[in-house]
Amino acid sequence: MLVEKGCIARRKISRGFRSHNIIIAATVAVVVAIAAAGQAGLAYAGPAVCKVRISARVIAHSHMKVLYQVSQVRITQADIQRGFIDINSGSRLEVKSNDPHGYIFTFRGADMTPFSAAHVKGNGTNVYIDGGKASARRPYVRGAEMVEFSYRLILSDDAQPGTYAWPITIEVPETHGI
């Protein structure tokens, strides 16, 4: 009616309603803030239930630390006549694994000259290497396991006296399974 009679413009009425709405919103916000401050520390939950599924996969891991390893082998004429050399406690290792199935040692004949084969024994392991490789599974042990290997190195027919590099490498795969 005031707009129709020209007493007030429509935009001034709209501006007045906007100001009115802002004042009401601010008043409600203050009331809510005061009420919330009085209820600090209290929380109310409804009957809603939320299920969360969490899973994790641990990758099997093994680690070998060499504590001692013979680096050379000395062959004498007496060894050649006997046909072999025994190396007691030739390797001392520490192995840690989290795999409940245990871990695997792989023995490889590196440069086998002047040896034709090797027999490896220790801690329940008994393998024979004839120039290639041989593997042995070890059971799971919690924590670190100390392993010691002794060797019988079989001499080839053309072996000569002298000092030779150690002919065998030992590996434990670090990760296996996914």
Side-chain angles (χ1 to χ4, degrees):
M1 200 164 166
L2 293 173
V3 174
E4 290 172 9
K5 290 192 176 187
C7 296
I8 192 161
R10 188 177 287 273
R11 61 181 153 76
K12 286 192 177 194
I13 292 175
S14 294
R15 203 175 323 158
F17 278 125
R18 266 184 283 177
S19 298
H20 177 73
N21 288 341
I22 291 171
I23 291 170
I24 290 175
T27 304
V28 169
V30 169
V31 170
V32 169
I34 292 171
Q39 299 291 322
L42 297 177
Y44 300 97
V49 175
C50 180
K51 292 183 181 181
V52 177
R53 173 177 268 173
I54 299 174
S55 65
R57 180 177 289 174
V58 177
I59 295 175
H61 177 79
S62 300
H63 176 74
M64 177 181 75
K65 180 179 176 184
V66 177
L67 303 176
Y68 173 76
Q69 176 61 59
V70 170
S71 61
Q72 295 180 330
V73 180
R74 187 167 181 271
I75 299 174
T76 65
Q77 192 61 42
D79 297 326
I80 293 171
Q81 289 173 346
R82 190 173 46 252
F84 63 87
I85 297 176
D86 284 332
I87 308 291
N88 294 319
S89 302
S91 304
R92 246 177 274 125
L93 314 167
E94 176 186 87
V95 181
K96 294 179 183 177
S97 179
N98 68 349
D99 190 340
H101 301 321
Y103 58 93
I104 297 173
F105 279 114
T106 301
F107 301 89
R108 294 182 193 278
D111 178 11
M112 292 293 285
T113 307
F115 309 101
S116 61
H119 192 183
V120 183
K121 289 184 180 183
N123 291 69
T125 299
N126 191 355
V127 297
Y128 187 78
I129 308 165
D130 60 356
K133 71 176 185 174
S135 297
R137 179 169 285 283
R138 298 284 302 150
Y140 171 74
V141 174
R142 185 177 198 150
E145 176 180 32
M146 303 302 228
V147 181
E148 188 171 284
F149 294 116
S150 294
Y151 302 86
R152 175 165 280 184
L153 302 174
I154 311 301
L155 297 171
S156 61
D157 293 336
D158 60 349
Q160 297 295 316
T163 302
Y164 297 89
W166 184 251
I168 300 168
T169 62
I170 305 171
E171 300 168 354
V172 172
E174 289 200 11
T175 57
H176 30 97
I178 291 182

